[in-house]
């Protein structure tokens, strides 16, 4: 519904060869003097069902206290809706 393909961000997609294929790919990159950047965007994962994106829901529920807070680029200096009187 949100336009993104979603797989478990904690595992390499088995449809793409899994961890073994990733290891071979990284070895090939290194032998060519290259590296690999993996950009996981957890807030682009589904949000309708909390069990599908526990990191995002943890941040929504617990704010800065969430163990996942550093995963997200959140401007905490802006305060919250509750702090602003807007909610």
């Amino acid at each position: 519904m949100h336009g993104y393909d979603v797989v478990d961000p904690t595992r390499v997609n088995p449809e793409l060869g899994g961890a073994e294929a990733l290891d071979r790919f990284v070895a090939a990159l290194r032998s060519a003097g290259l590296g690999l950047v993996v950009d996981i965007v957890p807030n682009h994962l589904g949000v309708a069902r909390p069990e599908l994106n526990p990191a995002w829901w943890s941040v929504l529920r617990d704010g800065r206290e969430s163990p996942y807070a550093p995963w997200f680029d959140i401007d905490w200096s802006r305060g919250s809706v509750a702090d602003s009187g807007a909610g």
Side-chain angles (χ1 to χ4, degrees):
M1 290 176 21
H2 48 71
Y4 293 96
D5 292 331
V6 177
V7 296
D8 182 347
T10 65
R11 293 181 176 75
V12 180
N13 188 343
E15 294 176 8
L16 300 177
E20 297 81 16
L22 177 61
D23 290 342
R24 290 191 307 275
F25 180 55
V26 170
L29 289 170
R30 287 186 177 153
S31 71
L34 300 170
L36 175 67
V37 175
V38 177
D39 183 18
I40 298 172
V41 185
N43 57 308
H44 286 184
L45 303 177
V47 297
R49 293 178 34 208
E51 68 273 12
L52 296 179
N53 195 342
W56 180 240
W57 281 89
S58 173
V59 171
L60 292 176
R61 181 185 59 245
D62 303 324
R64 292 178 214 231
E65 302 305 314
S66 167
Y68 303 101
W71 288 20
F72 299 89
D73 183 19
I74 299 172
D75 181 359
W76 298 106
S77 70
R78 302 286 305 231
S80 70
V81 173
D83 294 337
S84 71

